[in-house]
Amino acid sequence: MLTERPGGRPGTGLTGTGDLATGTPAGAYQLLFDSRFAVVPKALVPGADLPKALTYKPALVPAGAGVRVKQRTDGDGTRVTLRVSGLKAGHRYGAHVHTGVCGTDPAAAGEHYQHEKDPVRPSTDPAYANARNEVRLDFTADARGDGTASATHAWGFRPGGARSIVLHEAAGAAGRAACVSVPFRGW
C-alpha cells in the first residue's frame, strides 16, 4: 500500500515548489509505504512484476513479515522511518537505503545511497561511508520480532537516486537478508 500525503500541488505529494538550485523544498512531502515480505519466486512469468518486498533469508525475514517505510521531506531535510514486524526475535539487523530496486538477485538493489557519492566503488572510505552521508537504519528485533529505526538528514534524496531499503543479516553491511523497493521522492 502506498499513500502520499499531498499538499498544494494535486497528485505530486508536495506542498510547495522548493528551490531546485539549492535542493531545499518549500513545504513538505510525506510518503507512507506498507508491504509484506515474499519469498523470491522460483520462476517468473514473463512480464510479471516482482513483489515489492522480497526475503532472501526466510530464517531471518520470514515470508509474511511486515514492513512500513515513511519518508518526510521538508525545508529541514529528510527523515526516513523503518518499522518491521514478524522478524527473528532478538536479532540485530543492518538496514540501509540503497540505489536500486529489489530483484531476484540480492545485488540488484545496488549500493548504499550516499548524499555525496564516493568516486571509488565499492565505497569503503569513511569520508563517504558514514551515517552522516548514508541513511542507516540498523535495529534489533524485540521479543515479538518487531523493530523500528529512524534517520534524519539535513539533505534530501537526488531524484531517482534512492530506490529501496535492504535489511542486512547483521548490523553494518553484512549479507542481504531482505529488500523492499520504496518509491522515495527526490528533490
Side-chain angles (χ1 to χ4, degrees):
M1 178 178 144
L2 172 64
T3 305
E4 290 183 285
R5 305 286 167 89
R9 292 189 286 164
T12 64
L14 302 173
T15 59
T17 58
D19 182 345
L20 296 178
T22 64
T24 304
Y29 167 78
Q30 183 167 302
L31 168 118
L32 183 60
F33 180 83
D34 289 306
S35 192
R36 297 246 171 231
F37 288 98
V39 175
V40 175
K42 296 203 185 300
L44 290 175
V45 174
D49 290 332
L50 280 174
K52 295 297 182 195
L54 296 168
T55 179
Y56 307 114
K57 304 280 182 176
L60 295 175
V61 181
V67 59
R68 171 176 273 192
V69 178
K70 185 176 182 180
Q71 174 195 355
R72 177 167 174 80
T73 300
D74 59 25
D76 293 329
T78 297
R79 179 179 182 86
V80 176
T81 302
L82 171 69
R83 292 184 189 276
V84 292
S85 60
L87 276 56
K88 182 178 179 183
H91 189 80
R92 177 97 174 127
Y93 294 83
H96 309 92
V97 171
H98 280 245
T99 59
V101 294
C102 307
T104 57
D105 178 352
E111 302 171 333
H112 293 180
Y113 176 89
Q114 294 181 327
H115 178 61
E116 291 184 37
K117 292 182 186 179
D118 186 341
V120 177
R121 299 290 185 214
S123 178
T124 57
D125 183 342
Y128 296 94
N130 62 63
R132 292 178 317 280
N133 196 42
E134 298 179 348
V135 180
R136 296 186 177 184
L137 300 160
D138 296 0
F139 65 93
T140 300
D142 66 16
R144 293 185 342 203
D146 299 345
T148 301
S150 291
T152 303
H153 293 286
W155 41 264
F157 294 125
R158 289 180 301 282
R163 301 177 72 199
S164 63
I165 293 179
V166 170
L167 275 60
H168 293 275
E169 295 176 26
R176 297 175 184 201
C179 181
V180 56
S181 294
V182 181
F184 287 113
R185 178 68 58 98
W187 202 271

